[in-house]
Amino acid sequence: MIIKEAEGRNADLEVLRSLAGRPDVTDDQRKRIQQEIRNIQAGLKGEEEAAYELNFHYGNSKNWMIIHDLRIECEGRVAQIDHLLVNRFLELWVCESKHFAEGIAINEHGECSAFYGGKAYGVPSPIEQNRKHITVLESVFKTGLVKPPTRLGFTIKPTFVSLILVSKRARISRPSAKLDGLDAIIKNDQIKSRIDKSIDADNNPLTLAKVVGSETVEEFARRLAAIHKPVVFDWHARFGVSREVRPPATVSLPAQQPVSAAELQPVAESVQTAEQPPKAQERRESKLKCVKCSAAVSYAVAKFCWVNKGRFQGSVYCMECQKGVPAN
């Protein structure tokens, strides 16, 4: 039974694509943003492949509960669990999805590498990453944040199994040395056979003593899903991008447009005033005022506004107010 679906990353991708397309980000910022987009898309592909296999085999079962995309916080620590599979034995299969398109290699020291274009590059160990997830899950039950089911008055202690799921098309290169946790790395299409094999090999009679009803395991899984705390990323802060789009560092003056006869009429009238007697000219110039602050404007300033009608829409602005009118 599917208790919780993955929430998706469309909102994050939309924000990141918007940031990558802004004219005020640097080339370095744009490269890092585009790499983040690729990382998210690759992660989503791996999670979708694993989710398909889990849903196909266990989605309709009343004895298995599936929680996708579970983020929990406990005692100051955080675990982002891609998939959690819970059964009636109170076994929690903690699944970490990895989309290594060309595969993963582990050496005898447990160090991991992935491949891109045939070249290896180091990656964090998914085995250790999942162990941390299990540690946080254990603290969830120890602190009582989620209380496990009880039977005959005794609390049933959950058990944890780690699985690292990689693409079924990827290659897995393992060392000859035996390493703890190495068998947890499997391909997506091996999920069911791996789980069936583990259950068949369990001959511990105490396991049967832990079995709970379908309703109990469903209720337990729903309480786990209820502590999910989604995170909202501040992508602007992460990449050092201002929330406001900044204008380019240098602004070119707009090209002057051809001036029509109608636009030249005010200029012609002003030229005529220069030939009028002083009192008439004074009266004419006194009418040249800033449309915004009403300050007196000289003929030269007014002429600049008239000639640049595309910017000032035929209005007259003083030199100070012109600064607030955006250039085309």
Side-chain angles (χ1 to χ4, degrees):
M1 181 183 298
I2 302 173
I3 301 297
K4 179 183 177 298
E5 294 279 11
E7 296 179 358
R9 302 293 300 277
N10 288 337
D12 289 324
L13 290 172
E14 183 177 348
V15 172
L16 288 168
R17 290 184 182 118
S18 175
L19 291 180
R22 280 177 43 168
D24 58 332
V25 300
T26 65
D27 290 340
D28 178 66
Q29 287 173 322
R30 184 172 289 104
K31 287 179 181 178
R32 291 191 291 119
I33 293 170
Q34 291 171 340
Q35 182 60 53
E36 185 67 34
I37 292 174
R38 289 192 289 269
N39 291 344
I40 291 176
Q41 290 174 331
L44 288 174
K45 188 172 183 179
E47 292 173 17
E48 289 170 358
E49 289 179 0
Y52 170 80
E53 296 291 340
L54 289 168
N55 293 347
F56 181 86
H57 294 295
Y58 304 103
N60 294 326
S61 173
K62 294 183 179 180
N63 297 324
W64 291 85
M65 304 296 141
I66 305 173
I67 303 174
H68 296 297
D69 188 20
L70 176 64
R71 182 181 182 275
I72 55 179
E73 299 177 3
C74 188
E75 295 186 316
R77 293 178 293 189
V78 177
Q80 179 70 53
I81 301 171
D82 294 333
H83 317 279
L84 188 63
L85 193 61
V86 188
N87 62 19
R88 292 177 58 193
F89 300 111
L90 231 60
E91 292 175 332
L92 277 65
W93 293 77
V94 185
C95 304
E96 175 70 15
S97 294
K98 294 296 181 185
H99 185 70
F100 299 124
E102 298 181 29
I104 180 174
I106 308 96
N107 64 20
E108 64 274 11
H109 303 292
E111 300 164 338
C112 299
S113 300
F115 300 89
Y116 182 76
K119 296 182 179 180
Y121 62 95
V123 294
S125 169
I127 298 173
E128 296 301 326
Q129 182 181 8
N130 222 26
R131 283 174 179 162
K132 293 174 183 177
H133 293 166
I134 290 175
T135 298
V136 178
L137 265 175
E138 288 175 332
S139 66
V140 165
F141 303 126
K142 289 179 181 178
T143 61
L145 183 59
V146 174
K147 294 182 179 180
T150 59
R151 186 173 184 180
L152 301 176
F154 294 95
T155 299
I156 303 175
K157 185 179 180 180
T159 57
F160 305 91
V161 186
S162 175
L163 284 182
I164 311 301
L165 308 176
V166 301
S167 171
K168 56 188 177 183
R169 299 176 183 84
R171 71 175 186 261
I172 303 175
S173 299
R174 308 175 191 268
S176 56
K178 188 174 182 180
L179 297 177
D180 183 34
L182 193 61
D183 61 342
I185 303 177
I186 63 173
K187 296 187 177 184
N188 288 327
D189 56 357
Q190 297 175 311
I191 291 175
K192 189 174 187 305
S193 60
R194 173 69 171 81
I195 292 176
D196 289 347
K197 182 179 178 181
S198 176
I199 293 176
D200 292 341
D202 187 1
N203 298 318
N204 189 345
L206 294 178
T207 302
L208 292 176
K210 291 172 54 178
V211 68
V212 297
S214 300
E215 297 81 4
T216 300
V217 71
E218 178 184 348
E219 191 271 339
F220 172 66
R222 292 194 183 280
R223 284 191 283 118
L224 263 177
I227 66 171
H228 170 67
K229 288 189 177 181
V231 63
V232 178
F233 292 96
D234 187 347
W235 295 115
H236 292 79
R238 179 165 180 174
F239 293 104
V241 180
S242 171
R243 294 188 179 278
E244 300 294 332
V245 179
R246 295 173 180 172
T250 59
V251 180
S252 301
L253 292 175
Q256 293 186 357
Q257 301 294 324
V259 184
S260 65
E263 292 173 329
L264 287 174
Q265 184 61 33
V267 179
E269 293 177 356
S270 298
V271 173
Q272 292 176 3
T273 61
E275 301 175 354
Q276 294 177 4
K279 289 186 178 180
Q281 181 177 349
E282 181 179 346
R283 288 194 301 271
R284 182 64 175 173
E285 289 185 352
S286 66
K287 295 181 181 180
L288 298 176
K289 295 182 179 180
C290 176
V291 70
K292 186 174 181 180
C293 67
S294 300
V297 175
S298 68
Y299 163 71
V301 173
K303 180 180 177 181
F304 176 80
C305 295
W306 292 328
V307 172
N308 291 278
K309 183 178 179 181
R311 177 180 176 186
F312 300 103
Q313 304 298 316
S315 299
V316 175
Y317 290 81
C318 67
M319 294 182 67
E320 187 63 26
C321 292
Q322 286 177 16
K323 299 177 182 178
V325 180
N328 293 334

